[in-house]
Amino acid sequence: MSRYIMRLDDACPRHDRDKWQRMEELLNAYGVKPIVGIIPDCRDPQMEQYPEDPEFWDRARAWQSRGWAMALHGWQHVYVTREGGLNPVHQRSEFAGLSLEKQKEKIAAGMEVFNAQGIKPVAFIAPSHTFDRDTLRALLECTDIRSISDTIARAPYNKYGFTFVPQQTGRARKLNLDWVTFCYHPNVMGEEDFLELEGFLRVHEGEFVPYPKGQTKRREDIGDKLLRLGYFTMRHIRRKLNGK
């Protein structure tokens, strides 16, 4: 039986409060404790459409107190390179391709905001899933974070001094894998997205687990590598067909 993890991205003071409230109530109803990617100092122009929520950090601390896992979701959520790094889901990044020193500055600045707000992240989530070895080095030098919510694999594995908890899909669906992370962006969810998710939660309620803490000794194996190859091959084919 698969173990499912719910991941919520793009939490920040400028967000669609009604949709986040709906997601919070839905997950609470089914006892699901997600991992939440919080942007420390969001400057993403797409977020400017949402009014600033003066109570956001209070809400984030409340999530944390209820056992939701907090994650450092980059720094400002602004893309500055066209690199895919170690996990090239997209060819854009806030981190991949930058110098180690620049990445350390961003990670340290993000952590400064979290420390001031009493947020203790257990994992790192790179905007658009893109990061490189220097991102990991920056995390090692500037934080206590030793877990990454990302990459394609069958189950969590240890590499470069981190536990990678795989994230394979953007919607709740049955996959024949040991561990599956669903990545949702509440800000842009529509009515059908919420109804589809609730239907899945109703059927698979007992299969959701909190984000795992601590380090795993498991190493990636041939099954992980083949799964990753298939995933990125299909993404490449779709981009070609779509003319991208």
Side-chain angles (χ1 to χ4, degrees), residues 28 89 102 129 172 174 186 213:
N28 286 343
V89 175
K102 187 62 178 177
H129 312 274
K174 190 73 175 175
K213 297 180 179 179

Side-chain angles (χ1 to χ4, degrees), residues 65-165:
S65 69
R66 291 203 299 269
W68 292 22
M70 302 289 102
L72 180 67
H73 190 27
W75 177 40
Q76 295 181 328
H77 211 272
V78 174
Y79 304 114
V80 295
T81 78
R82 297 181 64 82
E83 300 290 335
L86 295 173
N87 190 48
V89 175
H90 300 286
Q91 296 299 314
R92 60 175 185 259
S93 187
E94 185 177 21
F95 293 91
L98 296 181
S99 68
L100 173 59
E101 288 305 312
K102 187 62 178 177
Q103 296 201 48
K104 286 170 62 176
E105 289 177 11
K106 293 188 173 193
I107 296 294
M111 285 302 299
E112 185 175 353
V113 174
F114 273 21
N115 290 336
Q117 296 294 345
I119 301 300
K120 300 176 181 179
V122 301
F124 178 76
I125 293 175
S128 280
H129 312 274
T130 49
F131 57 92
D132 60 16
R133 285 293 304 277
D134 278 337
T135 316
L136 302 179
R137 294 185 181 101
L139 288 166
L140 288 171
E141 293 188 33
C142 299
T143 78
D144 294 327
I145 295 172
R146 299 295 181 266
S147 181
I148 307 293
S149 171
D150 241 321
T151 70
I152 305 300
R154 297 182 299 105
Y157 62 93
N158 190 286
K159 192 173 184 179
Y160 305 130
F162 290 85
T163 288
F164 289 83
V165 180

Side-chain angles (χ1 to χ4, degrees), residues 52-63:
E52 187 164 356
D53 179 3
E55 299 178 348
F56 171 75
W57 290 108
D58 289 333
R59 297 182 70 200
R61 286 186 288 270
W63 294 337

Side-chain angles (χ1 to χ4, degrees), residues 160-222:
Y160 305 130
F162 290 85
T163 288
F164 289 83
V165 180
Q167 193 281 294
Q168 306 98 331
T169 179
R171 64 181 179 87
R173 57 194 175 110
K174 190 73 175 175
L175 293 177
N176 188 28
L177 300 171
D178 297 334
W179 291 72
V180 181
T181 300
F182 306 127
C183 178
Y184 277 86
H185 296 73
N187 290 326
V188 296
M189 288 176 66
E191 181 67 20
E192 290 186 4
D193 299 318
F194 280 105
L195 293 177
E196 180 185 59
L197 174 57
E198 183 169 12
F200 190 91
L201 289 170
R202 190 179 300 117
V203 174
H204 299 280
E205 178 179 358
E207 298 168 43
F208 280 82
V209 298
Y211 190 84
K213 297 180 179 179
Q215 293 280 290
T216 181
K217 295 182 179 180
R218 178 182 177 271
R219 301 291 180 175
E220 59 181 342
D221 58 23
I222 187 64

